Amino acid sequence: MVVGTCRRLGGYEPDLRHRSSDADVQLELVRAGAAVALMPALTLPGDDPALAVRGIAETDLRRRLVVVTRDTPPAPALTAFLTAVTDRVRDLGR
């Protein structure tokens, strides 16, 4: 997502020094001043003075998250997880 966004919207090739699909790792790299990151709003902490959150190139980047489950009653942990994600998305929309 970073490379494609920089190429498409910024017209440049980013200098990638770190790669991680773990949001907590990315946030720690940013807090340490070792990186910038494109993060979905869903993964951002509420109020962290160590982070400067900015929009990208006056555009709205989006991605779709899809959950596929079995056709059986879900485990309580899955139900709790899906409820938490749904609630967070709803809060972001306000």
Side-chain angles (χ1 to χ4, degrees):
M1 181 179 230
V2 171
V3 172
T5 300
C6 292
R7 286 176 179 165
R8 186 171 30 90
L9 299 177
Y12 68 94
E13 192 69 24
D15 179 14
L16 298 179
R17 305 281 175 103
H18 310 285
R19 290 180 189 262
S20 176
S21 59
D22 186 310
D24 290 330
V25 170
Q26 291 180 33
L27 288 170
E28 284 306 314
L29 286 167
V30 172
R31 284 185 187 102
V36 297
L38 295 180
M39 306 286 298
L42 189 62
T43 62
L44 295 175
D47 186 25
D48 187 336
L51 299 175
V53 178
R54 303 287 184 263
I56 300 295
E58 299 176 3
T59 191
D60 188 19
L61 299 177
R62 294 185 182 268
R63 70 179 182 176
R64 183 176 301 216
L65 301 176
V66 179
V67 175
V68 178
T69 62
R70 294 183 177 150
D71 193 20
T72 59
L78 177 59
T79 301
F81 171 75
L82 294 176
T83 300
V85 170
T86 303
D87 290 348
R88 179 74 171 124
V89 169
R90 190 175 306 114
D91 290 345
L92 290 171
R94 292 182 193 156

